[in-house]
């Protein structure tokens, strides 16, 4: 059950980080939640739930988000996710 706990920890950390990243991206680009949902090809309700950290992004939504970002932003996101994994590994 250690592996299940570990995966849940990663999942929670990723969900929280991506929710924050999504919200910051939206604010910095002066986009509405509805516009973001359109760009991500998801419902406005789903977008709000993701941004608030209620649910994580699907792989499809994550890819759509990355396609919105510049190459530099994508590389920064990948680096941040690597750091999360590294930090979580050290805790476990």
């Amino acid at each position: 059950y250690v592996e299940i706990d570990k995966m849940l920890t990663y999942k929670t950390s990723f969900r929280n980080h991506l929710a924050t990243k999504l919200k910051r991206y939206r604010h910095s680009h002066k986009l509405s939640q509805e516009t973001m949902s359109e760009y991500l090809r998801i419902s406005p309700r789903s977008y709000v739930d993701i941004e608030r950290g209620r649910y994580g992004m699907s792989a499809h939504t994550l890819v759509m988000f990355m396609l919105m970002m510049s190459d530099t932003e994508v590389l920064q996101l990948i680096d941040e996710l690597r750091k999360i994994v590294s930090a979580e590994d050290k805790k476990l």
Side-chain angles (χ1 to χ4, degrees):
Y1 295 103
V2 172
E3 290 301 315
I4 292 172
D5 289 343
K6 201 183 242 189
M7 290 307 297
L8 183 58
T9 300
Y10 296 133
K11 186 177 179 178
T12 301
S13 295
F14 287 164
R15 181 180 64 227
N16 293 337
H17 183 75
L18 290 170
T20 300
K21 193 81 170 173
L22 200 61
K23 188 173 187 176
R24 285 183 182 159
Y25 182 90
R26 181 173 66 80
H27 284 262
S28 70
H29 289 81
K30 297 179 172 68
L31 300 171
S32 69
Q33 290 178 329
E34 186 171 327
T35 300
M36 284 295 290
S37 71
E38 290 172 8
Y39 286 155
L40 298 174
R41 282 38 169 216
I42 59 176
S43 72
R45 181 69 200 168
S46 293
Y47 178 82
V48 169
D49 286 342
I50 292 168
E51 189 177 273
R52 292 184 179 164
R54 288 191 184 125
Y55 300 106
M57 287 185 197
S58 68
H60 169 266
T61 303
L62 178 58
V63 169
M64 296 305 286
F65 180 44
M66 291 171 74
L67 291 173
M68 292 175 67
M69 301 165 87
S70 69
D71 292 349
T72 302
E73 290 170 321
V74 171
L75 291 174
Q76 180 182 356
L77 175 62
I78 292 168
D79 187 53
E80 291 164 358
L81 295 175
R82 281 189 182 125
K83 288 177 182 174
I84 289 171
V85 170
S86 180
E88 293 299 340
D89 282 349
K90 288 177 185 174
K91 290 182 194 175
L92 302 173

PDB file of all heavy atoms in Angstrom, residues 3-4 8-9 11 16 18 29 33 37 54 62-64 86 91:
ATOM      1  N   GLU A   3       2.954   2.095  -2.279  1.00  0.00           N
ATOM      2  CA  GLU A   3       2.913   2.636  -3.636  1.00  0.00           C
ATOM      3  C   GLU A   3       1.641   3.436  -3.876  1.00  0.00           C
ATOM      4  O   GLU A   3       1.680   4.477  -4.533  1.00  0.00           O
ATOM      5  CB  GLU A   3       3.043   1.515  -4.673  1.00  0.00           C
ATOM      6  CG  GLU A   3       4.410   0.876  -4.717  1.00  0.00           C
ATOM      7  CD  GLU A   3       5.520   1.863  -5.042  1.00  0.00           C
ATOM      8  OE1 GLU A   3       5.353   2.676  -5.967  1.00  0.00           O
ATOM      9  OE2 GLU A   3       6.554   1.826  -4.358  1.00  0.00           O
ATOM     10  N   ILE A   4       0.512   2.985  -3.363  1.00  0.00           N
ATOM     11  CA  ILE A   4      -0.752   3.712  -3.518  1.00  0.00           C
ATOM     12  C   ILE A   4      -0.664   5.051  -2.798  1.00  0.00           C
ATOM     13  O   ILE A   4      -1.057   6.082  -3.343  1.00  0.00           O
ATOM     14  CB  ILE A   4      -1.939   2.874  -3.002  1.00  0.00           C
ATOM     15  CG1 ILE A   4      -2.144   1.663  -3.923  1.00  0.00           C
ATOM     16  CG2 ILE A   4      -3.210   3.718  -2.933  1.00  0.00           C
ATOM     17  CD1 ILE A   4      -3.148   0.662  -3.430  1.00  0.00           C
ATOM     18  N   LEU A   8      -0.851   8.749  -4.572  1.00  0.00           N
ATOM     19  CA  LEU A   8      -1.814   9.745  -4.116  1.00  0.00           C
ATOM     20  C   LEU A   8      -1.119  11.051  -3.754  1.00  0.00           C
ATOM     21  O   LEU A   8      -1.613  12.135  -4.044  1.00  0.00           O
ATOM     22  CB  LEU A   8      -2.609   9.213  -2.915  1.00  0.00           C
ATOM     23  CG  LEU A   8      -3.703  10.117  -2.375  1.00  0.00           C
ATOM     24  CD1 LEU A   8      -4.723  10.443  -3.456  1.00  0.00           C
ATOM     25  CD2 LEU A   8      -4.390   9.467  -1.193  1.00  0.00           C
ATOM     26  N   THR A   9       0.055  10.943  -3.138  1.00  0.00           N
ATOM     27  CA  THR A   9       0.827  12.134  -2.786  1.00  0.00           C
ATOM     28  C   THR A   9       1.226  12.908  -4.040  1.00  0.00           C
ATOM     29  O   THR A   9       1.063  14.126  -4.103  1.00  0.00           O
ATOM     30  CB  THR A   9       2.090  11.739  -1.991  1.00  0.00           C
ATOM     31  OG1 THR A   9       1.682  11.071  -0.798  1.00  0.00           O
ATOM     32  CG2 THR A   9       2.911  12.947  -1.622  1.00  0.00           C
ATOM     33  N   LYS A  11      -0.198  12.745  -6.986  1.00  0.00           N
ATOM     34  CA  LYS A  11      -1.428  13.213  -7.615  1.00  0.00           C
ATOM     35  C   LYS A  11      -1.922  14.500  -6.966  1.00  0.00           C
ATOM     36  O   LYS A  11      -2.276  15.461  -7.641  1.00  0.00           O
ATOM     37  CB  LYS A  11      -2.500  12.119  -7.529  1.00  0.00           C
ATOM     38  CG  LYS A  11      -3.767  12.412  -8.267  1.00  0.00           C
ATOM     39  CD  LYS A  11      -4.707  11.223  -8.170  1.00  0.00           C
ATOM     40  CE  LYS A  11      -5.997  11.474  -8.879  1.00  0.00           C
ATOM     41  NZ  LYS A  11      -6.899  10.317  -8.828  1.00  0.00           N
ATOM     42  N   ASN A  16      -2.584  20.337  -7.113  1.00  0.00           N
ATOM     43  CA  ASN A  16      -2.479  21.655  -6.488  1.00  0.00           C
ATOM     44  C   ASN A  16      -1.575  22.592  -7.280  1.00  0.00           C
ATOM     45  O   ASN A  16      -1.894  23.765  -7.473  1.00  0.00           O
ATOM     46  CB  ASN A  16      -1.984  21.523  -5.045  1.00  0.00           C
ATOM     47  CG  ASN A  16      -2.985  20.829  -4.160  1.00  0.00           C
ATOM     48  OD1 ASN A  16      -4.179  20.799  -4.444  1.00  0.00           O
ATOM     49  ND2 ASN A  16      -2.510  20.249  -3.080  1.00  0.00           N
ATOM     50  N   LEU A  18      -0.769  22.417 -10.521  1.00  0.00           N
ATOM     51  CA  LEU A  18      -1.359  22.758 -11.812  1.00  0.00           C
ATOM     52  C   LEU A  18      -2.537  23.711 -11.668  1.00  0.00           C
ATOM     53  O   LEU A  18      -2.744  24.581 -12.517  1.00  0.00           O
ATOM     54  CB  LEU A  18      -1.759  21.496 -12.565  1.00  0.00           C
ATOM     55  CG  LEU A  18      -0.575  20.654 -13.062  1.00  0.00           C
ATOM     56  CD1 LEU A  18      -1.066  19.308 -13.576  1.00  0.00           C
ATOM     57  CD2 LEU A  18       0.216  21.389 -14.130  1.00  0.00           C
ATOM     58  N   HIS A  29      -2.571  36.492 -18.429  1.00  0.00           N
ATOM     59  CA  HIS A  29      -2.973  36.713 -19.822  1.00  0.00           C
ATOM     60  C   HIS A  29      -4.340  37.395 -19.919  1.00  0.00           C
ATOM     61  O   HIS A  29      -4.901  37.520 -21.012  1.00  0.00           O
ATOM     62  CB  HIS A  29      -2.973  35.382 -20.589  1.00  0.00           C
ATOM     63  CG  HIS A  29      -1.596  34.868 -20.833  1.00  0.00           C
ATOM     64  ND1 HIS A  29      -0.875  34.176 -19.876  1.00  0.00           N
ATOM     65  CD2 HIS A  29      -0.779  34.965 -21.911  1.00  0.00           C
ATOM     66  CE1 HIS A  29       0.306  33.861 -20.370  1.00  0.00           C
ATOM     67  NE2 HIS A  29       0.397  34.333 -21.596  1.00  0.00           N
ATOM     68  N   GLN A  33     -12.416  32.740 -17.079  1.00  0.00           N
ATOM     69  CA  GLN A  33     -12.504  31.293 -16.887  1.00  0.00           C
ATOM     70  C   GLN A  33     -13.216  30.647 -18.073  1.00  0.00           C
ATOM     71  O   GLN A  33     -12.831  29.566 -18.515  1.00  0.00           O
ATOM     72  CB  GLN A  33     -13.238  30.967 -15.579  1.00  0.00           C
ATOM     73  CG  GLN A  33     -12.440  31.317 -14.360  1.00  0.00           C
ATOM     74  CD  GLN A  33     -13.184  31.044 -13.075  1.00  0.00           C
ATOM     75  OE1 GLN A  33     -14.408  31.136 -13.007  1.00  0.00           O
ATOM     76  NE2 GLN A  33     -12.436  30.709 -12.036  1.00  0.00           N
ATOM     77  N   SER A  37     -11.701  27.783 -20.522  1.00  0.00           N
ATOM     78  CA  SER A  37     -12.386  26.504 -20.749  1.00  0.00           C
ATOM     79  C   SER A  37     -12.542  26.233 -22.246  1.00  0.00           C
ATOM     80  O   SER A  37     -12.390  25.099 -22.692  1.00  0.00           O
ATOM     81  CB  SER A  37     -13.738  26.458 -20.037  1.00  0.00           C
ATOM     82  OG  SER A  37     -14.688  27.303 -20.661  1.00  0.00           O
ATOM     83  N   ARG A  54     -10.340  21.096  -7.064  1.00  0.00           N
ATOM     84  CA  ARG A  54     -11.291  20.024  -6.719  1.00  0.00           C
ATOM     85  C   ARG A  54     -10.973  18.744  -7.475  1.00  0.00           C
ATOM     86  O   ARG A  54     -11.147  17.651  -6.957  1.00  0.00           O
ATOM     87  CB  ARG A  54     -12.722  20.462  -7.019  1.00  0.00           C
ATOM     88  CG  ARG A  54     -13.248  21.476  -6.064  1.00  0.00           C
ATOM     89  CD  ARG A  54     -14.746  21.661  -6.240  1.00  0.00           C
ATOM     90  NE  ARG A  54     -15.194  22.720  -5.364  1.00  0.00           N
ATOM     91  CZ  ARG A  54     -15.863  23.786  -5.772  1.00  0.00           C
ATOM     92  NH1 ARG A  54     -16.190  23.913  -7.039  1.00  0.00           N
ATOM     93  NH2 ARG A  54     -16.228  24.710  -4.909  1.00  0.00           N
ATOM     94  N   LEU A  62      -4.244  18.733 -19.848  1.00  0.00           N
ATOM     95  CA  LEU A  62      -2.867  19.157 -19.617  1.00  0.00           C
ATOM     96  C   LEU A  62      -2.155  19.464 -20.935  1.00  0.00           C
ATOM     97  O   LEU A  62      -1.477  20.485 -21.064  1.00  0.00           O
ATOM     98  CB  LEU A  62      -2.092  18.099 -18.833  1.00  0.00           C
ATOM     99  CG  LEU A  62      -0.612  18.399 -18.576  1.00  0.00           C
ATOM    100  CD1 LEU A  62      -0.434  19.712 -17.818  1.00  0.00           C
ATOM    101  CD2 LEU A  62       0.031  17.241 -17.824  1.00  0.00           C
ATOM    102  N   VAL A  63      -2.336  18.607 -21.923  1.00  0.00           N
ATOM    103  CA  VAL A  63      -1.715  18.834 -23.228  1.00  0.00           C
ATOM    104  C   VAL A  63      -2.266  20.112 -23.860  1.00  0.00           C
ATOM    105  O   VAL A  63      -1.506  20.932 -24.394  1.00  0.00           O
ATOM    106  CB  VAL A  63      -1.906  17.621 -24.169  1.00  0.00           C
ATOM    107  CG1 VAL A  63      -1.512  17.960 -25.593  1.00  0.00           C
ATOM    108  CG2 VAL A  63      -1.109  16.434 -23.662  1.00  0.00           C
ATOM    109  N   MET A  64      -3.566  20.324 -23.777  1.00  0.00           N
ATOM    110  CA  MET A  64      -4.153  21.533 -24.342  1.00  0.00           C
ATOM    111  C   MET A  64      -3.595  22.776 -23.642  1.00  0.00           C
ATOM    112  O   MET A  64      -3.317  23.792 -24.285  1.00  0.00           O
ATOM    113  CB  MET A  64      -5.686  21.503 -24.248  1.00  0.00           C
ATOM    114  CG  MET A  64      -6.339  20.396 -25.069  1.00  0.00           C
ATOM    115  SD  MET A  64      -5.892  20.393 -26.816  1.00  0.00           S
ATOM    116  CE  MET A  64      -6.836  21.779 -27.390  1.00  0.00           C
ATOM    117  N   SER A  86      10.818  15.101  -6.964  1.00  0.00           N
ATOM    118  CA  SER A  86      12.030  14.971  -6.169  1.00  0.00           C
ATOM    119  C   SER A  86      11.754  15.271  -4.683  1.00  0.00           C
ATOM    120  O   SER A  86      12.196  14.543  -3.805  1.00  0.00           O
ATOM    121  CB  SER A  86      13.114  15.909  -6.702  1.00  0.00           C
ATOM    122  OG  SER A  86      14.284  15.806  -5.944  1.00  0.00           O
ATOM    123  N   LYS A  91      10.526  12.936   0.938  1.00  0.00           N
ATOM    124  CA  LYS A  91       9.627  12.802   2.104  1.00  0.00           C
ATOM    125  C   LYS A  91       9.282  11.342   2.377  1.00  0.00           C
ATOM    126  O   LYS A  91       9.081  10.963   3.509  1.00  0.00           O
ATOM    127  CB  LYS A  91       8.323  13.568   1.869  1.00  0.00           C
ATOM    128  CG  LYS A  91       8.456  15.059   1.884  1.00  0.00           C
ATOM    129  CD  LYS A  91       7.089  15.660   1.678  1.00  0.00           C
ATOM    130  CE  LYS A  91       7.129  17.121   1.336  1.00  0.00           C
ATOM    131  NZ  LYS A  91       5.767  17.631   1.032  1.00  0.00           N
TER     132      LYS A  91
END
